Amino acid sequence: MSLFSKRNKEVLTAPLNLDNPVVSQVLGICSALAVTSQLEPSIVMGLSVTVITAFANVIISLLRNTIPSRIRIIIQLVVVATLVTIVSQMLKAYAYDVSVQLSVYVGLIISNCILMGRLEAFAMMNGPWESFLDGIGSGLGYAWVLVVVGFVRELLGAASLLGHEIPFISESDFFHNGMMTMPAMALIICGCVIWAHRAYNDREKK
Amino acid sequence: MKFNTNSNAYTIVYASIMVIIVAFLLAFISSVLKSTQEANVANDKRSQILAALNLRDVENVEQKYNETILKALVVNVEGEVIDSVGGFDVESKMITAKNDHDKKLPLYVAKVGADTLYVVPLFGRGLWGGISGYLALKKDLNTVYGCNYTHESETAGLGARIVELEFQQKFTDKQAHADTAFTAVALGMKKKVENPKTEVDMITGATLTCDGMDAMFKTSLSPYKKYFIANHK
């Protein structure tokens, strides 16, 4: 079986669009609302979740035949918690500013439904390579939604992107909308993304 | 050999081995990264102290700090200097100790241009979590030269605005005490400013954060009272 067989490609790309964890399955919403007030933490959070999902998937997939079924959820949690702790320690050492901004949300990756969902639904039944692709796909599917929401919120809320002020539009009051920095607006933007996503896919079907 | 993965013995052994491996792994990573993390935290503290002295966006924080801060004293509530070097390393729980006589109070002596300035740390509680900061005083130990605040988790756009430069600049040239006898800390935040020499207008919609700030000035500055009385110029 080739590394990128038709099925493997589907495993990788389905979560980006039709099976997107955030906009289709509505998983991982709480962190999507919390960290997206600026673009940079959104990107870091998206990448962290991608890396953690991918590696947790691989580890669980390798262990899947040895895990006692009665404690499988606990084993999954231990693997995820270990990876999250490692990522959090790395951020504190090498990206201190970002770790301050993400603060408790890095820890909350452990409770991110996407991770447990992928481990239980995919990695427990598939080989390591497929599980790795599934983790990357699901993580990136989550990441792009975060980046879109973070982009809109930082642009309209602070008239900047990645912390750099946008020269022309920053003079306009419209781009300093305090509402945008609040979690409620993230929910509304998430809703808009879901709407656009559905509308696009419905038209593709016809 | 095939184990019965559902037996009790297997489950217990499996869980134990898992926990031991994970514990060793995490302990190893934590000890490897510890020094880098502590350096980051210390540098963050230095940049906050510099920010209170209106030295923001500094390239090499450690170098600038060493140039600017002449001494980091530790004083007690009696106004005596108990340590003339260890101010930077005093833990926050020693600064905020419940009993006044257990308090170890850091005081940073800085030189910016020709001015000698004094920086004191501030600790308080906001709406959702701790707020803290540094307040730089001129050599009369009463006039505010600059300040810098940070928070753990105040509401974005409201209480979180205390970290903004525009807000912090409102404190410049305020008087920390109502009179030069240092009878009481007067620096504070009010909904209706009656005494613009010592009071700053509250942020609309962030009453609890601002009340916390108001209390923070009182509790953080009053232990220094005797030192201020003895040393102001």
mmCIF file of all heavy atoms in Angstrom, chain A residues 9-30:
data_model
loop_
_atom_site.group_PDB
_atom_site.id
_atom_site.type_symbol
_atom_site.label_atom_id
_atom_site.label_comp_id
_atom_site.label_asym_id
_atom_site.label_seq_id
_atom_site.Cartn_x
_atom_site.Cartn_y
_atom_site.Cartn_z
ATOM 1 N N LYS A 9 -5.109 9.902 1.343
ATOM 2 C CA LYS A 9 -5.310 11.309 0.968
ATOM 3 C C LYS A 9 -6.624 11.819 1.538
ATOM 4 O O LYS A 9 -6.730 12.948 2.005
ATOM 5 C CB LYS A 9 -5.326 11.445 -0.559
ATOM 6 C CG LYS A 9 -3.939 11.714 -1.116
ATOM 7 C CD LYS A 9 -4.002 12.051 -2.593
ATOM 8 C CE LYS A 9 -2.642 11.843 -3.212
ATOM 9 N NZ LYS A 9 -2.724 11.445 -4.617
ATOM 10 N N GLU A 10 -7.608 10.944 1.497
ATOM 11 C CA GLU A 10 -8.913 11.337 2.010
ATOM 12 C C GLU A 10 -8.842 11.559 3.525
ATOM 13 O O GLU A 10 -9.430 12.507 4.056
ATOM 14 C CB GLU A 10 -9.909 10.236 1.686
ATOM 15 C CG GLU A 10 -11.312 10.759 1.504
ATOM 16 C CD GLU A 10 -12.242 9.615 1.163
ATOM 17 O OE1 GLU A 10 -12.174 9.158 0.012
ATOM 18 O OE2 GLU A 10 -12.979 9.170 2.060
ATOM 19 N N VAL A 11 -8.091 10.670 4.199
ATOM 20 C CA VAL A 11 -7.912 10.804 5.648
ATOM 21 C C VAL A 11 -7.315 12.166 5.985
ATOM 22 O O VAL A 11 -7.708 12.833 6.939
ATOM 23 C CB VAL A 11 -7.005 9.669 6.179
ATOM 24 C CG1 VAL A 11 -6.481 9.990 7.564
ATOM 25 C CG2 VAL A 11 -7.768 8.360 6.203
ATOM 26 N N LEU A 12 -6.379 12.596 5.139
ATOM 27 C CA LEU A 12 -5.694 13.866 5.397
ATOM 28 C C LEU A 12 -6.566 15.069 5.065
ATOM 29 O O LEU A 12 -6.576 16.059 5.790
ATOM 30 C CB LEU A 12 -4.391 13.915 4.586
ATOM 31 C CG LEU A 12 -3.526 15.158 4.751
ATOM 32 C CD1 LEU A 12 -2.985 15.253 6.165
ATOM 33 C CD2 LEU A 12 -2.367 15.132 3.759
ATOM 34 N N THR A 13 -7.298 14.990 3.933
ATOM 35 C CA THR A 13 -7.980 16.204 3.452
ATOM 36 C C THR A 13 -9.421 16.347 3.935
ATOM 37 O O THR A 13 -9.931 17.458 3.994
ATOM 38 C CB THR A 13 -7.967 16.259 1.911
ATOM 39 O OG1 THR A 13 -8.527 15.037 1.423
ATOM 40 C CG2 THR A 13 -6.564 16.439 1.378
ATOM 41 N N ALA A 14 -10.065 15.232 4.288
ATOM 42 C CA ALA A 14 -11.475 15.353 4.691
ATOM 43 C C ALA A 14 -11.674 16.312 5.862
ATOM 44 O O ALA A 14 -12.599 17.125 5.838
ATOM 45 C CB ALA A 14 -12.052 13.975 5.008
ATOM 46 N N PRO A 15 -10.806 16.267 6.898
ATOM 47 C CA PRO A 15 -11.041 17.192 8.015
ATOM 48 C C PRO A 15 -10.822 18.657 7.652
ATOM 49 O O PRO A 15 -11.246 19.552 8.388
ATOM 50 C CB PRO A 15 -10.001 16.762 9.070
ATOM 51 C CG PRO A 15 -9.462 15.467 8.620
ATOM 52 C CD PRO A 15 -9.671 15.378 7.152
ATOM 53 N N LEU A 16 -10.148 18.914 6.532
ATOM 54 C CA LEU A 16 -9.936 20.307 6.144
ATOM 55 C C LEU A 16 -11.232 20.926 5.650
ATOM 56 O O LEU A 16 -11.449 22.116 5.762
ATOM 57 C CB LEU A 16 -8.867 20.405 5.051
ATOM 58 C CG LEU A 16 -7.463 19.982 5.455
ATOM 59 C CD1 LEU A 16 -6.516 20.104 4.281
ATOM 60 C CD2 LEU A 16 -6.966 20.832 6.623
ATOM 61 N N ASN A 17 -12.090 20.104 5.061
ATOM 62 C CA ASN A 17 -13.301 20.675 4.497
ATOM 63 C C ASN A 17 -14.569 19.993 5.043
ATOM 64 O O ASN A 17 -15.125 20.430 6.047
ATOM 65 C CB ASN A 17 -13.224 20.601 2.977
ATOM 66 C CG ASN A 17 -14.363 21.306 2.298
ATOM 67 O OD1 ASN A 17 -15.112 22.029 2.949
ATOM 68 N ND2 ASN A 17 -14.522 21.075 1.017
ATOM 69 N N LEU A 18 -14.970 18.877 4.423
ATOM 70 C CA LEU A 18 -16.291 18.318 4.752
ATOM 71 C C LEU A 18 -16.383 17.803 6.178
ATOM 72 O O LEU A 18 -17.429 17.918 6.816
ATOM 73 C CB LEU A 18 -16.627 17.187 3.765
ATOM 74 C CG LEU A 18 -17.076 17.678 2.389
ATOM 75 C CD1 LEU A 18 -17.337 16.508 1.468
ATOM 76 C CD2 LEU A 18 -18.320 18.547 2.509
ATOM 77 N N ASP A 19 -15.293 17.217 6.696
ATOM 78 C CA ASP A 19 -15.319 16.683 8.052
ATOM 79 C C ASP A 19 -14.619 17.607 9.023
ATOM 80 O O ASP A 19 -14.032 17.155 10.006
ATOM 81 C CB ASP A 19 -14.616 15.313 8.085
ATOM 82 C CG ASP A 19 -15.615 14.200 7.865
ATOM 83 O OD1 ASP A 19 -16.820 14.492 8.011
ATOM 84 O OD2 ASP A 19 -15.206 13.085 7.540
ATOM 85 N N ASN A 20 -14.627 18.899 8.750
ATOM 86 C CA ASN A 20 -13.878 19.828 9.600
ATOM 87 C C ASN A 20 -14.323 19.721 11.058
ATOM 88 O O ASN A 20 -15.510 19.753 11.353
ATOM 89 C CB ASN A 20 -14.071 21.261 9.107
ATOM 90 C CG ASN A 20 -13.167 22.210 9.830
ATOM 91 O OD1 ASN A 20 -13.406 22.529 10.989
ATOM 92 N ND2 ASN A 20 -12.110 22.632 9.178
ATOM 93 N N PRO A 21 -13.350 19.559 11.970
ATOM 94 C CA PRO A 21 -13.738 19.374 13.372
ATOM 95 C C PRO A 21 -14.507 20.557 13.945
ATOM 96 O O PRO A 21 -15.423 20.361 14.736
ATOM 97 C CB PRO A 21 -12.401 19.187 14.097
ATOM 98 C CG PRO A 21 -11.340 19.583 13.146
ATOM 99 C CD PRO A 21 -11.900 19.450 11.778
ATOM 100 N N VAL A 22 -14.147 21.788 13.551
ATOM 101 C CA VAL A 22 -14.834 22.935 14.153
ATOM 102 C C VAL A 22 -16.143 23.227 13.441
ATOM 103 O O VAL A 22 -17.206 23.262 14.063
ATOM 104 C CB VAL A 22 -13.945 24.204 14.156
ATOM 105 C CG1 VAL A 22 -14.635 25.326 14.898
ATOM 106 C CG2 VAL A 22 -12.606 23.913 14.782
ATOM 107 N N VAL A 23 -16.090 23.405 12.110
ATOM 108 C CA VAL A 23 -17.297 23.898 11.449
ATOM 109 C C VAL A 23 -18.294 22.797 11.109
ATOM 110 O O VAL A 23 -19.477 23.079 10.938
ATOM 111 C CB VAL A 23 -16.980 24.758 10.199
ATOM 112 C CG1 VAL A 23 -16.204 25.983 10.578
ATOM 113 C CG2 VAL A 23 -16.269 23.975 9.143
ATOM 114 N N SER A 24 -17.853 21.531 11.012
ATOM 115 C CA SER A 24 -18.824 20.471 10.738
ATOM 116 C C SER A 24 -19.203 19.704 11.997
ATOM 117 O O SER A 24 -20.366 19.449 12.263
ATOM 118 C CB SER A 24 -18.272 19.475 9.717
ATOM 119 O OG SER A 24 -18.102 20.102 8.490
ATOM 120 N N GLN A 25 -18.167 19.342 12.778
ATOM 121 C CA GLN A 25 -18.463 18.528 13.955
ATOM 122 C C GLN A 25 -18.651 19.382 15.206
ATOM 123 O O GLN A 25 -19.049 18.866 16.248
ATOM 124 C CB GLN A 25 -17.322 17.523 14.176
ATOM 125 C CG GLN A 25 -17.104 16.614 12.973
ATOM 126 C CD GLN A 25 -15.801 15.816 13.090
ATOM 127 O OE1 GLN A 25 -15.201 15.751 14.146
ATOM 128 N NE2 GLN A 25 -15.375 15.211 11.992
ATOM 129 N N VAL A 26 -18.359 20.684 15.093
ATOM 130 C CA VAL A 26 -18.480 21.621 16.214
ATOM 131 C C VAL A 26 -17.770 21.086 17.466
ATOM 132 O O VAL A 26 -18.341 20.983 18.546
ATOM 133 C CB VAL A 26 -19.937 22.001 16.507
ATOM 134 C CG1 VAL A 26 -19.993 23.283 17.344
ATOM 135 C CG2 VAL A 26 -20.692 22.236 15.231
ATOM 136 N N LEU A 27 -16.505 20.699 17.271
ATOM 137 C CA LEU A 27 -15.653 20.282 18.383
ATOM 138 C C LEU A 27 -14.579 21.351 18.599
ATOM 139 O O LEU A 27 -14.221 22.069 17.677
ATOM 140 C CB LEU A 27 -14.943 18.964 18.056
ATOM 141 C CG LEU A 27 -15.798 17.704 17.920
ATOM 142 C CD1 LEU A 27 -14.939 16.547 17.473
ATOM 143 C CD2 LEU A 27 -16.470 17.389 19.231
ATOM 144 N N GLY A 28 -14.064 21.425 19.808
ATOM 145 C CA GLY A 28 -12.950 22.336 20.084
ATOM 146 C C GLY A 28 -13.349 23.796 20.040
ATOM 147 O O GLY A 28 -12.528 24.691 19.849
ATOM 148 N N ILE A 29 -14.657 24.071 20.233
ATOM 149 C CA ILE A 29 -15.133 25.447 20.148
ATOM 150 C C ILE A 29 -14.590 26.312 21.283
ATOM 151 O O ILE A 29 -14.225 27.465 21.070
ATOM 152 C CB ILE A 29 -16.683 25.461 20.169
ATOM 153 C CG1 ILE A 29 -17.218 24.976 18.832
ATOM 154 C CG2 ILE A 29 -17.220 26.834 20.468
ATOM 155 C CD1 ILE A 29 -17.009 25.921 17.692
ATOM 156 N N CYS A 30 -14.489 25.750 22.483
ATOM 157 C CA CYS A 30 -14.172 26.624 23.623
ATOM 158 C C CYS A 30 -12.815 27.296 23.443
ATOM 159 O O CYS A 30 -12.679 28.497 23.655
ATOM 160 C CB CYS A 30 -14.287 25.901 24.949
ATOM 161 S SG CYS A 30 -12.962 24.772 25.306
#
